[in-house]
Amino acid sequence: MYVTAEHLREQVIRPTLKYLGVWNPGTETFLLDAAVSAPDLGLFSARNDGLGLFHITAAQHRDIWDRYLAFKPDMASRIRGLASQRAFLSDPDSELTTNLSYCTAIAWLLYQRAGGHKQQPAPAQAAARFRA
C-alpha cells in the first residue's frame, strides 16, 4: 500500500484533529511534517525505541495517560474512543503502531503539552513542501 503525504493529511491527521476539536492549519502541517520528515524535535525524533508514525516511546505514552489525561477526563474519553476495544486493554502501546488516528491524537497531545499550541508553526512554508 502506498500512502502519500496528502493522503496522510486529508485522511488521518485532519480528521483526527477535527474529531478532537483542535484542528488548525498550523498544527496539521506540524504533525504532517513530523510524520513525513521525522525531524529531530525531541518528542518525535527518529529513534529506535519509538513506536509508530511519530516514534512515540512507551514511556511517553504511559506518561501522557498517567500525568495528563488522568486529569482531563473529557479528552481522555475522546482519545480512548479512537482506540480499538480489545487491543487497547491488552496492549495499549500496540495502538501506536497499528492505529494511525490514535497515534496522531497522542502525538498532538505531546505537542500540545509541550507548549506547541501556544506557538503555531508557519503553515505556508511547510505546506508548500507537501503539495504534489
Side-chain angles (χ1 to χ4, degrees):
M1 180 171 94
Y2 180 72
V3 177
T4 66
E6 283 307 308
H7 178 262
L8 188 59
R9 174 192 300 274
E10 294 170 3
Q11 304 280 324
V12 177
I13 296 171
R14 185 176 299 150
T16 300
L17 293 174
K18 285 185 175 186
Y19 167 79
L20 296 174
V22 297
W23 179 85
N24 70 59
T27 301
E28 177 183 297
T29 299
F30 173 82
L31 288 173
L32 179 65
D33 190 33
V36 172
S37 301
D40 189 17
L41 297 173
L43 295 173
F44 309 105
S45 65
R47 54 186 171 226
N48 294 333
D49 61 344
L51 301 168
L53 191 60
F54 296 99
H55 306 284
I56 299 167
T57 66
Q60 287 173 311
H61 189 213
R62 277 189 304 279
D63 186 65
I64 204 75
W65 277 100
D66 295 345
R67 295 185 179 188
Y68 189 75
L69 288 171
F71 305 102
K72 299 189 176 299
D74 291 341
M75 181 58 75
S77 178
R78 297 214 42 96
I79 300 293
R80 180 61 179 92
L82 291 170
S84 63
Q85 294 298 317
R86 293 187 182 148
F88 183 82
L89 296 175
S90 63
D91 184 10
D93 292 337
S94 71
E95 291 291 310
L96 295 172
T97 58
T98 62
N99 185 331
L100 292 175
S101 290
Y102 179 84
C103 185
T104 299
I106 296 298
W108 174 78
L109 287 170
L110 290 168
Y111 169 66
Q112 188 230 16
R113 186 173 74 167
H117 63 290
K118 295 175 186 160
Q119 52 187 16
Q120 291 303 323
Q125 290 177 318
R129 290 196 311 242
F130 301 111
R131 300 230 161 115

